[in-house]
Amino acid sequence: MTAFIILSLYGLAMLLIFCYNAMQLQLAYSYWKFKRKAKQTVVQVPTSTSALPIVTVQLPIYNEKYVVQRLIDAVAALDYPQHKLEIQVLDDSTDETIDLIAERVAYWQQQGVWISHVRRPNREGFKAGALAYGLTHNKGKLIAIFDADFVPPTHFLKATVGAFANADIGMVQTRWEHLNEDYSLMTQLQAFGLNAHFTVEQVGRNAQGHLINFNGTAGVWRKQCIEDAGGWQSDTLTEDLDLSYRAQLKGWKFKYLEEVGTPAELPVAMNALKTQQFRWTKGAAECARKNLWKVLGAADLNLSTKMHALFHLLNSSMFVLVVLVSVLSLPLLFIKNAFVEYTQVFIYFSFFLTGTVFLGVFYWVSTSVKGLSKQRRQKYFFMRFPLFLAMYTGLSLHNALAVVEGLLGKKTPFIRTPKFNITKQQDQPWKSNQYLKNNISLLTVLEGVFMVYFLVGVGVGIYLHEYGLLPFHLMLAFGFGYICFYSVWHSLVNPA
């Protein structure tokens, strides 16, 4: 009976992962088809200055002393008429960031820039609350938003505002680029994963007319769209995804501009990455809890759009399935060795391995954004894809716990990702960053236990001459070991 339960749970989890990978393959096909048929989108910018709309740029800030001046200087340099460019520095800081902002705001005001330092009485609602507060004081009908670690190019507004000539467009999102991709293996693997979202997923969904999301930054909203959708709400950790779905359910259309890149900084410390991953995965689960039934019940959405929305909102739940499959894979070795009557079942299970091929195609297609030659592209993909799978399976326990909290409705504060102002190895060491937490959690210990568990799986497989799961267990042992080691190391070397 126990063997049957384990096989059933394993088979169900594998089936759901396979379905998710099949959906990713469909998006890869959609992206490839769209890129073959369509030239890059060229947004027409009004030639007359008088025809340009007033744009409010909102910069939500909380204790960002390392990067805030870089951000303000970049936004102040945007190529847009000064009398139509309003900049709001929405400052919730409690440290010396306040003085740094005041100094740069005063400087740019003297240069004739329309910029204000906005402080509110409390930090209620966190980022969502700050954005909502800014909207009560702004002048622009279009709202551009940049997080503290972004450095928008000077042409950003002229490359995006033209899309709003279509009155149905409520939001325009641009592609994230990376200031420090080559800093370390960890940043390279983050960039590898993010590139897939900002090419295949966003273009693939948008080209088919499915629901896409604002990514929290490097995008422009129509103020009327925000208000019509119910405004910024702080009952999830991903207020961007939540508002995106509420707006599109109201009938607003979103546009994704892959050709407009906006550089940003990737986390270079493991615990900073974990903070970011926790917020993203838990927030996505909270948004699924809040919005999924509304999407499935929407009369004006077709079945295909609803299916894509289902997998989009629940994609963070894949981490729960990965943990389940991983943990059950070790007892599976004993079952396969001891119960010959289940031989046919294991043959069926092997079919699900094609899902890994689907996922590989998805990420292969995304590498086109690098513009590499065929030989260099192959080297880039085959060096990063296995390591990417290992690192993110190593994060699966951490992310799965975040997903469970989100689905169960457990509320936690919005904790922003520490920023570093690190773009190359020679920069000021991130290890002195005062915003990093210096602690080794129980979860980190469990990740070390999981590493040992899967090393045992390697040994059991060899002992039983069952080699089918050997690559999987090696990958899991490496992934959990990598995450555990750098979680400990980055805590020990950070004196904060």
Side-chain angles (χ1 to χ4, degrees):
M1 186 62 179
T2 302
F4 176 78
I5 293 173
I6 291 174
L7 289 172
S8 299
L9 289 174
Y10 184 87
L12 177 61
M14 288 292 289
L15 175 62
L16 293 173
I17 293 173
F18 176 84
C19 291
Y20 172 79
N21 290 340
M23 191 64 72
Q24 299 301 90
L25 179 65
Q26 196 280 328
L27 286 174
Y29 173 74
S30 174
Y31 177 83
W32 173 79
K33 184 179 178 182
F34 174 80
K35 299 294 282 188
R36 283 193 65 194
K37 286 187 175 182
K39 294 182 178 179
Q40 295 225 327
T41 306
V42 178
V43 176
Q44 297 298 322
V45 180
T47 55
S48 170
T49 299
S50 62
L52 289 171
I54 295 177
V55 178
T56 298
V57 179
Q58 293 187 319
L59 311 177
I61 303 296
Y62 175 69
N63 294 352
E64 300 286 7
K65 73 173 189 176
Y66 299 107
V67 294
V68 69
Q69 292 181 310
R70 179 181 69 183
L71 170 67
I72 293 173
D73 290 348
V75 173
L78 288 172
D79 181 17
Y80 205 75
Q82 280 191 349
H83 67 290
K84 294 199 171 187
L85 175 60
E86 176 190 26
I87 303 171
Q88 291 182 328
V89 186
L90 306 173
D91 180 22
D92 284 348
S93 299
T94 58
D95 66 359
E96 57 264 48
T97 303
I98 301 171
D99 296 328
L100 295 173
I101 292 174
E103 184 274 323
R104 293 318 290 167
V105 168
Y107 170 81
W108 284 111
Q109 285 175 339
Q110 292 172 5
Q111 310 306 310
V113 174
W114 184 6
I115 184 171
S116 59
H117 186 181
V118 181
R119 299 275 296 168
R120 57 185 178 136
N122 55 62
R123 202 186 168 213
E124 183 179 354
F126 306 106
K127 179 181 176 180
L131 295 172
Y133 185 81
L135 290 181
T136 64
H137 299 78
N138 85 300
K139 302 297 183 184
K141 293 185 178 180
L142 299 181
I143 314 295
I145 300 171
F146 297 102
D147 282 347
D149 51 329
F150 278 70
V151 185
T154 56
H155 67 279
F156 179 88
L157 291 179
K158 287 188 174 179
T160 54
V161 298
F164 291 94
N166 181 344
D168 292 332
I169 297 294
M171 192 280 298
V172 172
Q173 175 67 51
T174 66
R175 177 174 53 84
W176 293 6
E177 293 179 340
H178 317 294
L179 292 169
N180 59 338
E181 177 176 349
D182 294 325
Y183 179 82
S184 67
L185 176 62
M186 192 177 83
T187 56
Q188 291 172 10
L189 299 180
Q190 288 177 72
F192 183 83
L194 286 170
N195 287 345
H197 171 69
F198 284 99
T199 54
V200 179
E201 284 191 313
Q202 290 287 53
V203 174
R205 291 192 184 105
N206 204 210
Q208 297 176 87
H210 300 322
L211 308 182
I212 66 169
N213 62 293
F214 171 56
N215 293 104
T217 177
V220 184
W221 282 86
R222 193 188 297 272
K223 183 176 180 180
Q224 181 188 355
C225 172
I226 296 174
E227 294 172 337
D228 184 49
W232 294 105
Q233 298 175 7
S234 59
D235 55 346
T236 74
L237 293 178
T238 47
E239 72 291 323
D240 45 9
L241 179 61
D242 174 40
L243 181 59
S244 297
Y245 267 79
R246 287 189 280 116
Q248 289 169 104
L249 286 173
K250 280 281 189 176
W252 290 95
K253 304 298 181 185
F254 285 7
K255 190 173 187 65
Y256 180 68
L257 299 178
E258 183 191 8
E259 67 277 9
V260 181
T262 307
E265 197 175 310
L266 297 162
V268 297
M270 182 59 71
N271 292 320
L273 174 62
K274 282 184 166 181
T275 297
Q276 183 187 73
Q277 287 289 308
F278 184 91
R279 190 177 70 250
W280 286 359
T281 51
K282 180 173 181 177
E286 291 175 326
C287 286
R289 177 187 170 97
K290 179 178 179 179
N291 296 302
L292 183 57
W293 292 113
K294 299 174 186 176
V295 172
L296 296 179
D300 56 342
L301 298 180
N302 60 43
L303 180 60
S304 178
T305 295
K306 290 180 180 180
M307 287 300 297
H308 275 277
L310 173 70
F311 281 93
H312 185 197
L313 285 172
L314 292 177
N315 66 354
S316 63
S317 300
M318 291 300 111
F319 288 109
V320 177
L321 298 175
V322 168
V323 170
L324 183 61
V325 165
S326 301
V327 170
L328 294 180
S329 64
L330 181 51
L332 214 66
L333 290 173
F334 293 104
I335 292 172
K336 185 178 180 182
N337 185 260
F339 297 89
V340 293
E341 61 268 31
Y342 290 128
T343 300
Q344 195 67 31
V345 173
F346 285 95
I347 294 175
Y348 296 148
F349 283 171
S350 63
F351 169 76
F352 292 131
L353 296 177
T354 56
T356 306
V357 177
F358 295 168
L359 196 64
V361 171
F362 170 80
Y363 282 102
W364 167 258
V365 171
S366 74
T367 60
S368 63
V369 74
K370 300 292 289 184
L372 302 173
S373 65
K374 182 178 180 180
Q375 185 175 4
R376 292 185 64 193
R377 184 180 177 186
Q378 290 175 346
K379 181 179 178 181
Y380 172 83
F381 174 79
F382 287 108
M383 287 185 65
R384 282 170 175 74
F385 181 60
L387 293 173
F388 168 79
L389 290 181
M391 186 174 86
Y392 278 87
T393 52
L395 281 166
S396 61
L397 178 62
H398 172 272
N399 289 351
L401 293 175
V403 170
V404 171
E405 284 191 8
L407 292 176
L408 292 178
K410 181 182 178 181
K411 296 300 179 182
T412 49
F414 182 103
I415 301 176
R416 62 104 174 93
T417 307
K419 312 302 189 309
F420 306 91
N421 195 10
I422 294 292
T423 58
K424 54 186 182 296
Q425 287 286 346
Q426 293 80 9
D427 285 338
Q428 173 186 341
W430 61 265
K431 302 175 185 65
S432 61
N433 188 297
Q434 73 179 50
Y435 301 133
L436 282 173
K437 300 297 182 182
N438 183 17
N439 66 313
I440 300 173
S441 67
L442 175 61
L443 181 58
T444 297
V445 175
L446 287 176
E447 287 163 347
V449 172
F450 267 49
M451 176 193 69
V452 175
Y453 179 81
F454 295 114
L455 285 175
V456 171
V458 171
V460 169
I462 293 173
Y463 176 76
L464 297 177
H465 303 290
E466 297 287 354
Y467 303 110
L469 289 172
L470 185 61
F472 184 52
H473 286 153
L474 285 171
M475 181 187 73
L476 288 166
F478 174 81
F480 281 102
Y482 180 85
I483 299 301
C484 177
F485 174 81
Y486 280 103
S487 295
V488 173
W489 176 248
H490 288 171
S491 292
L492 292 177
V493 298
N494 176 41

